[in-house]
Amino acid sequence: MKKVITYGTYDLLHHGHIRLLERAKALGDYLVVGVTSDDFDRARGKINVRQSFMERVEALRATGIADEIIAEEYEGQKIDDIRDRGIDIFAIGSDWQGKFDYLRPYCEVVYLERTAGVSSTELRSARGQVTIGVVGQGSVTDKFIAECGCVDGAEAKAPTPGQPFEKFADGVDALYIYSHPRDHYRQARHALEHGKHVLLELPFTLREEETRELFRLADDSGLVLMAGCKTAYATAYRRLVLLALGGMIGEVVSVDAVCTSLRPVDYSDAASMEREWSSLADWGPIAMLPAFQILGTGYRGKRIVTRRVCGYDEFARVSLVYPSACASAMAAKGVKSEGELVVSGTKGYIYVPAPWWKTDYFEVRFENPQENRRYFFQLDGEGIRYQILAFLRAIGNPRHAADSAGVSRDVCLALSRVMQDFTEGTDTTDITPAK
Ligand code: CTP
């Protein structure tokens, strides 16, 4: 039996793919098709793929052409597959001419003419460009605008100087809101009431009921309302959460995260202080995210400690107590500390070095250091790029928007609750030094 193998991403399966597969199959008796895994595509910089691995595999399976479908997960896997499966022919489109000649010692290599006039890239852009209006100012919005340039189908638009928010919102399909948190609710609400999808940076809103209302509004209008938070979309972070939930370090007993950035603040300038986000609003949601995503939102008790300068919260620590675990989240813009994340369990711990919120690396450590493991992942655009991609996927498929969201609704609500309690002084202890 002559065995043929071919590989591809097969995003938005089109007739160019099908013709290639049919001709590859005709070269032998048995066709193996390697479909790139989501991680492998990310690792090789192909981040624009619109369909998940399972969706791509299902579409391929439905053609009935492949005798076997496998995942392509790592660089160099083709040689392993060819040797392990006794492959006779490796076939691929002519756009790869010469690129796979290195496989000739292992099997015959055939380049098949690529079908002209169709590609996944074209299909993705034909699905239409989403113009995302970017609200707010600073390095985060600058990065967001730059990252939109790396995502097929996303076009960023910034308001013209002095343009009122309402007018600006009218001219876009969706909004990324990174304004001062006190404006989030009003702006997101206006956007949703006017048919715009919203990517709302954390903290979502400063009141739990407002967040609930925004979700209600989005559902009623069939619009996407997703939390913005680049860390929540970074592969390394997502993986460590899954490892913790999967029991790799035993029962999780403590989640401790620190986020600080020391910046000179001019407390005497009222106008600039108006624009400043409090430490808890700025860093708090990221610092609390691992606790809520690993231990859940059903904590039994909480204490917020704040230290203020001229009324401005320069340091905050949130301590959460769960029935059988606890967590702490330090958020500070006037105090410096080591920005690491430690998830402690009954069998070991996960350690993420500073700055953990934009990490591509973490370690799982045990009593016996020989059991320690290190994990590395690709991180493009600090996670912002993946966040934009997730937002576009959700817009393309609003019924499954929750699958694309990096932060679940209950976590958004829990974060808003903490912000509300902080604003109202509930469960809050002030450690501001007496004058
Ligand atoms: N292919 C083809 N004719 C096309 C498009 C793709 O023969 N018009 C072949 C490729 O050469 C490859 C296989 O189909 O052997 C899978 O290609 P893939 O990269 O998944 O599809 P593209 O449409 O090229 O995707 P993209 O635009 O994202 O590069």
Side-chain angles (χ1 to χ4, degrees):
M1 184 166 69
K2 216 179 210 181
K3 282 186 159 184
V4 184
I5 198 162
T6 189
Y7 293 87
T9 303
Y10 304 103
D11 188 28
L12 308 174
L13 197 74
H14 54 70
H15 73 271
H17 293 142
I18 293 176
R19 283 198 65 230
L20 185 289
L21 293 167
E22 285 170 346
R23 285 173 292 152
K25 172 113 179 193
L27 293 172
D29 311 299
Y30 188 86
L31 178 66
V32 182
V33 181
V35 179
T36 50
S37 70
D38 295 332
D39 272 351
F40 185 51
D41 271 330
R42 272 193 182 189
R44 63 195 190 119
K46 190 162 181 165
I47 61 137
N48 280 305
V49 179
R50 283 296 167 88
Q51 292 182 298
S52 69
F53 173 74
M54 282 317 291
E55 285 171 317
R56 290 179 285 122
V57 165
E58 279 315 314
L60 191 61
R61 199 192 306 282
T63 67
I65 304 171
D67 295 292
E68 190 180 339
I69 299 173
I70 60 170
E72 185 182 16
E73 293 177 289
Y74 57 90
E75 207 66 59
Q77 183 184 322
K78 292 184 179 76
I79 295 177
D80 273 350
D81 290 342
I82 291 167
R83 284 202 291 219
D84 295 350
R85 293 163 192 278
I87 298 292
D88 303 288
I89 301 174
F90 169 88
I92 196 93
S94 54
D95 43 324
W96 294 98
Q97 191 67 44
K99 296 268 171 42
F100 291 102
D101 288 357
Y102 75 90
L103 295 173
R104 290 202 195 278
Y106 310 98
C107 69
E108 188 183 337
V109 175
V110 176
Y111 296 99
L112 297 166
E113 192 63 34
R114 186 181 161 92
T115 305
V118 62
S119 72
S120 302
T121 307
E122 281 168 33
L123 290 176
R124 283 192 289 265
S125 48
R127 290 188 145 201
Q129 198 87 348
V130 176
T131 306
I132 308 176
V134 180
V135 182
Q137 274 174 351
S139 63
V140 175
T141 49
D142 290 347
K143 282 184 200 166
F144 187 92
I145 291 170
E147 288 301 321
C148 278
C150 302
V151 178
D152 282 352
E155 187 193 21
K157 190 171 171 185
T160 51
Q163 188 176 21
F165 167 78
E166 290 75 12
K167 191 127 194 119
F168 173 60
D170 275 353
V172 296
D173 306 312
L175 282 168
Y176 168 54
I177 299 179
Y178 189 84
S179 51
H180 194 284
R182 69 173 161 261
D183 298 326
H184 283 191
Y185 168 68
R186 179 180 54 81
Q187 293 178 334
R189 192 192 153 123
H190 176 92
L192 292 167
E193 283 174 344
H194 290 78
K196 314 294 175 186
H197 304 285
V198 177
L199 180 61
L200 184 57
E201 190 65 33
L202 293 177
F204 229 62
T205 75
L206 301 180
R207 296 177 60 81
E208 188 181 5
E209 191 42 43
E210 290 177 350
T211 292
R212 209 181 292 283
E213 192 193 329
L214 290 182
F215 280 125
R216 233 181 349 245
L217 209 54
D219 288 346
D220 290 348
S221 334
L223 292 164
V224 173
L225 172 62
M226 253 173 68
C229 174
K230 62 183 185 186
T231 305
Y233 295 88
T235 314
Y237 171 74
R238 293 174 76 112
R239 288 306 152 84
L240 77 85
V241 170
L242 292 177
L243 287 186
L245 292 174
M248 189 170 189
I249 53 168
E251 201 182 324
V252 176
V253 175
S254 187
V255 178
D256 302 279
V258 174
C259 297
T260 71
S261 55
L262 207 49
R263 269 186 288 149
V265 176
D266 183 1
Y267 300 103
S268 62
D269 179 13
S272 76
M273 290 313 291
E274 261 295 285
R275 288 193 299 272
E276 237 3 279
W277 297 28
S278 73
S279 291
L280 192 67
D282 206 337
W283 278 124
I286 301 177
M288 286 183 268
L289 195 66
F292 285 148
Q293 293 194 318
I294 294 171
L295 298 173
T297 55
Y299 57 84
R300 291 277 168 84
K302 128 172 132 294
R303 173 85 3 220
I304 307 167
V305 173
T306 176
R307 187 184 141 116
R308 301 171 203 256
V309 179
C310 304
Y312 170 76
D313 153 57
E314 61 161 9
F315 169 92
R317 170 180 270 156
V318 180
S319 304
L320 302 171
V321 180
Y322 290 80
S324 55
C326 60
S328 74
M330 186 199 291
K333 289 162 84 175
V335 169
K336 192 67 196 159
S337 189
E338 185 70 14
E340 55 191 24
L341 167 66
V342 182
V343 184
S344 314
T346 52
K347 292 186 180 154
Y349 67 99
I350 297 171
Y351 172 72
V352 194
W356 72 264
W357 53 88
K358 50 179 175 187
T359 192
D360 55 0
Y361 162 76
F362 64 88
E363 290 183 28
V364 182
R365 296 179 178 171
F366 297 96
E367 189 64 34
N368 175 2
Q370 284 176 346
E371 292 173 21
N372 290 359
R373 295 215 197 150
R374 294 161 171 224
Y375 294 82
F376 298 87
F377 297 90
Q378 185 78 15
L379 181 68
D380 295 304
E382 295 181 15
I384 299 173
R385 204 174 296 179
Y386 307 144
Q387 173 182 271
I388 298 167
L389 210 58
F391 187 44
L392 289 193
R393 279 191 183 156
I395 291 173
N397 196 353
R399 281 198 306 125
H400 291 101
D403 303 338
S404 306
V407 185
S408 64
R409 289 186 176 196
D410 66 319
V411 171
C412 293
L413 287 164
L415 290 169
S416 301
R417 174 89 239 163
V418 175
M419 294 313 302
Q420 180 172 348
D421 287 345
F422 174 65
T423 313
E424 293 171 356
T426 308
D427 299 335
T428 301
T429 305
D430 196 326
I431 55 163
T432 305
K435 280 273 155 56

